[in-house]
Amino acid sequence: MANLGRQKDIQKLKPITHSVRSAQAILQYGVGAMVDFPDQTLMTAAPEYWESKVTKIHDERLEKALNVDYFGMPGNSKYDWGIAYARFPQWYFCPKCRRFQPIKSWVTEYRKKATQKQKDWDPYMKKPRCLECKKDLVPTRIVVACENGHIDDFPWIQWVHHKSGKNQICSNPVLTFETGTTASAGLEGLVIKCKTCKAWANLAGAFDKDAMELMEKKHGHGYECSGNMPWKNKTEECVAFPRAFQRGASSLYFPKVISSLVIPPYSEKINNEITDSKAFERILNFLSECDEDERESKITAKIDKWSEDIGREISSNPNMIKNILSRRFSNPSDGESENVNANGVKYKIEEFEALSGKIPVGNLNGNDFVREETDIEMYDIPYLKSVSLIHKVREVRALTGFTRINPPDAYEIGEKISGFISVKETGTRWYPAYEVRGEGIFIEFEKEAIDNWLKKNINIYGRTKVLEHNYKNTYQGSITERNISPKFVLLHTIAHLLIRQLSFECGYTAASLRERIYCSEVEDGTEMSAILIYTASGDSEGTLGGLVRQGYWDCLPRTFRKAIEFSELCSNDPVCISSEGQGRDALNLAACHSCTLLPETSCEEFNVFLDRGLIVGTFEEKGMGFYSKWLNS
């Protein structure tokens, strides 16, 4: 789209050249992220601009936690795929004549010089081209962004004039962008020139952390953050100073994605029938137009009629439907806001109870959650309390916001995250999301075995204290306090080792498997010592039963022991096993890419808080590991 502010400017792009997968539109190419298409770079627009292009999906628990009515998955039909984009960055140059100007100037020139046939065929110059040189335009590689989430074009005009020693900017700047003749020229080889006043400057020093602040102090206005939000087509006040980044820098976009498993009773067939009905869609449209203060009274007045309408449509009992609608539309109880983060302990307790069989599952036909209990006596693995096979599970992943420059904390949510930008406006009642269906293995460990292990090995606490100390010295640690327990590091490391081994045994790639860690104490509400390893890949690898098959008694013991045995020795030992801090911000001990780490999308913690020394011991203390005795037997 050329301009998000006017409906007439919306232009359809070719789906063959401008398509992304649903998962990409929520993760790396989500709202506020730049996408490099073959002919130009675009930024994914706010969800308000692509609301009609989504398929509504539901997860009642997550909807109530995030205070929305539904989630929107990109693409609402076979013939109407698509989400909205905004043009960013705005500055383009011609690789032949080297002219360098904003896209608006290129479009103005196009409308003046293009033939009538060209204008009728493409009035908005969807594919940026230089008419004089007949060459495709190239977007600038450099942008500026601040820690508050704003992003804008580099101040090219101010930079070239002030860096060349001029105090004033000429009245009609015409810029050219030139590169050095050798690849080793670096930033000094990138030269900006003004044809009007002959000013010129290279980009040496432009990427310094305080470059914009120093230029502001020296030359005055023009370098402070503009508060620009291209994905919303608006600006806001900002007092920060931006920094220059490469357009493709990974630190320019950190999505905050919250995931949730759909569990009983929310996974039962009747819930899907209700949410898929036309009557329920009319209810959501009605509620979206209600003010927040009158919403509850409107629901109370109309819920009986709604139940009857849905009951007639899906041929079901209106009383049962009324109970489900009442549960869905009820106000969150006191303290429920604490459950918003799906990685939080209270939110995960419900999942833990469903996975461990404490919540009964109704009719399995059409249920999104199917669990099989096994006989733990058949498994020759010490310290396991139970193994459950999850034949069917549905996961919803919602994009709630993003940060720039600094990554968001995995456990904080919303405005508690420094520099957090919500992807939607306050009045919008949905978040972009996508769903995946998979299968998994749920393994629960004996609490008594872990407690006895901790009592016999006091030095274990010293290893986790190192991780806590390193975490406190990080940027995120200065904002968020966190207790890193030995039990959590133990469970997390076992999950990583199992995923690595299962990727060899069951045929799934490691990137197609994910972990969920259930770790808490009685003081948190429920004691949990369990892990879930499941397939949740949105592609054709799907759920063919290969992972569940590996969870039966004749396969899992062999796979489990291999995973532990292979962690005894790493190709980077003794450096790895003796490490006092490695990986991102030194938040791992004996864990590296050769022995423990996974693709970051598979890990809840993005590959930190790992230590195989707690599993198999170290060179100095062989018996310290949780499974040291089992390996030596």
Side-chain angles (χ1 to χ4, degrees), residues 492 495-496 499 514-517 532 534 602-605:
H492 190 202
H496 272 239
I499 288 177
R514 282 171 61 89
E515 66 175 10
R516 286 179 88 83
I517 311 300
L532 172 67
Y534 64 107
S602 299
C603 178
E604 281 191 326
E605 297 288 346

Side-chain angles (χ1 to χ4, degrees), residues 306-376:
W306 292 343
S307 303
E308 293 175 0
D309 291 344
I310 296 175
R312 280 194 297 269
E313 182 177 344
I314 66 174
S315 301
S316 188
N317 187 342
N319 291 328
M320 182 188 301
I321 295 172
K322 182 180 178 180
N323 292 334
I324 294 174
L325 293 181
S326 299
R327 183 189 69 197
R328 176 179 286 275
F329 294 133
S330 63
N331 287 328
S333 59
D334 294 339
E336 191 163 331
S337 59
E338 297 177 12
N339 298 349
V340 172
N341 189 346
N343 288 330
V345 172
K346 292 185 178 180
Y347 194 94
K348 280 193 170 181
I349 285 176
E350 293 183 353
E351 294 180 5
F352 172 79
E353 291 177 344
L355 293 166
S356 58
K358 296 178 182 177
I359 297 178
V361 180
N363 182 15
L364 295 181
N365 294 325
N367 202 312
D368 284 330
F369 184 90
V370 177
R371 172 185 175 272
E372 177 187 351
E373 192 164 342
T374 63
D375 182 4
I376 193 61

Side-chain angles (χ1 to χ4, degrees), residues 588-600:
N588 290 326
L589 293 181
C592 68
H593 281 286
S594 298
C595 58
T596 312
L597 302 194
L598 296 172
E600 287 198 349

Side-chain angles (χ1 to χ4, degrees), residues 486-551:
K487 183 168 78 169
F488 177 82
V489 177
L490 170 73
L491 296 173
H492 190 202
T493 308
I494 291 176
H496 272 239
L497 298 176
L498 271 178
I499 288 177
R500 288 172 67 97
Q501 187 59 36
L502 283 168
S503 67
F504 296 114
E505 302 288 342
C506 68
Y508 290 107
T509 64
S512 299
L513 301 177
R514 282 171 61 89
E515 66 175 10
R516 286 179 88 83
I517 311 300
Y518 298 91
C519 177
S520 67
E521 301 299 336
V522 177
E523 298 79 30
D524 300 315
T526 299
E527 193 281 327
M528 298 189 295
S529 306
I531 59 175
L532 172 67
I533 297 173
Y534 64 107
T535 63
S537 179
D539 60 15
S540 59
E541 288 193 67
T543 57
L544 302 176
L547 183 60
V548 163
R549 182 64 187 88
Q550 291 297 317

Side-chain angles (χ1 to χ4, degrees), residues 104-225:
K104 289 182 179 179
S105 300
W106 287 110
V107 172
T108 301
E109 181 181 308
Y110 170 82
R111 290 173 176 169
K112 289 180 180 179
K113 298 181 180 181
T115 64
Q116 190 59 43
K117 185 177 180 180
Q118 287 176 313
K119 293 178 184 178
D120 293 340
W121 178 68
D122 186 10
Y124 291 96
M125 196 171 71
K126 288 189 286 187
K127 186 175 183 179
R129 284 180 66 85
C130 176
L131 291 182
E132 292 184 4
C133 306
K134 303 293 188 286
K135 293 286 187 180
D136 293 341
L137 299 177
V138 179
T140 176
R141 291 180 293 168
I142 302 173
V143 297
V144 292
C146 79
E147 293 183 350
N148 294 325
H150 306 125
I151 191 168
D152 206 349
D153 287 283
F154 188 85
W156 301 105
I157 295 176
Q158 294 91 328
W159 183 270
V160 67
H161 287 86
H162 293 157
K163 273 290 186 178
S164 62
K166 296 180 180 293
N167 293 324
Q168 298 293 328
I169 298 174
C170 63
S171 58
N172 185 31
V174 179
L175 304 188
T176 62
F177 183 79
E178 300 178 7
T179 56
T181 56
T182 62
S184 60
L187 293 176
E188 294 181 359
L190 302 178
V191 179
I192 315 298
K193 294 182 179 179
C194 177
K195 285 186 175 181
T196 306
C197 64
K198 308 303 180 186
W200 71 276
N202 59 39
L203 292 179
F207 286 86
D208 293 347
K209 188 174 182 178
D210 56 352
M212 299 299 141
E213 185 175 1
L214 294 176
M215 292 294 285
E216 176 78 12
K217 291 179 180 178
K218 187 175 181 180
H219 300 286
H221 181 74
Y223 297 93
E224 70 279 3
C225 179

